[in-house]
Amino acid sequence: MRADPVDSIRSDNTDAWIAHAVAGALSGAMWIGLAGIVFAMATAWLAVTAPAPRALAAAPLLLALVQLWLLLRVAIDRRLFDALAAAASHYGSPDLAALDTALIELGWITASRAGRPLPERARGAMRLVRASAALAAAQLAFTLLTLILR
């Protein structure tokens, strides 16, 4: 049986707990984002199959493009926070400098963004979670509006 990674976290290792919490929130955001995509597809289908304004089909599809981008970002960040949690659990602290070096080499961040502490990175990831939830809520609103206008 595989050991739970949380069992190996020392009680004084706040970075590991932060990383685990954010990874969990990002996992949830993936499901929320997928729900938003489903709502967008449902709205488009409803708008095309009924005499509803075409904008009701177009708007959710445009929002779905943003939602797809957010899903990609959420998936990447979830993996990174999983790795940070594992490193912090095992070594006592995450290697943020190595992560920054890798992200700079990939061209994903500029050197001026390197060196941010884990809590600041966590807040940035949580903005992605909130944006994904807001888009999913908008998609649901479009779906309900399309049903009402049918």
Side-chain angles (χ1 to χ4, degrees):
M1 187 162 102
R2 200 172 110 187
D4 186 358
V6 176
D7 290 340
S8 64
I9 299 176
R10 295 187 341 251
S11 62
D12 63 340
N13 194 344
T14 304
D15 283 348
W17 287 111
I18 289 171
H20 277 293
V22 172
L26 290 166
S27 291
M30 291 179 68
W31 288 105
I32 291 169
L34 289 173
I37 298 296
V38 169
F39 292 140
M41 301 310 291
T43 304
W45 181 79
L46 288 168
V48 169
T49 60
R54 294 295 180 225
L56 283 178
L61 292 176
L62 291 175
L63 288 178
L65 292 175
V66 176
Q67 190 83 28
L68 286 170
W69 171 250
L70 277 176
L71 278 170
L72 174 63
R73 285 290 315 275
V74 164
I76 292 168
D77 281 11
R78 185 187 62 79
R79 295 287 303 262
L80 293 176
F81 274 93
D82 279 340
L84 290 172
S89 297
H90 191 267
Y91 300 110
S93 66
D95 190 354
L96 297 175
L99 172 62
D100 286 341
T101 299
L103 294 176
I104 289 168
E105 287 183 20
L106 289 169
W108 292 2
I109 67 168
T110 61
S112 64
R113 292 194 37 116
R116 294 174 296 141
L118 187 62
E120 185 179 330
R121 294 166 194 258
R123 285 188 292 276
M126 293 308 295
R127 281 192 293 274
L128 293 176
V129 172
R130 286 188 294 279
S132 186
L135 277 173
Q139 299 288 27
L140 175 60
F142 275 117
T143 302
L144 295 174
L145 184 62
T146 303
L147 284 170
I148 291 169
L149 295 176
R150 280 189 88 174

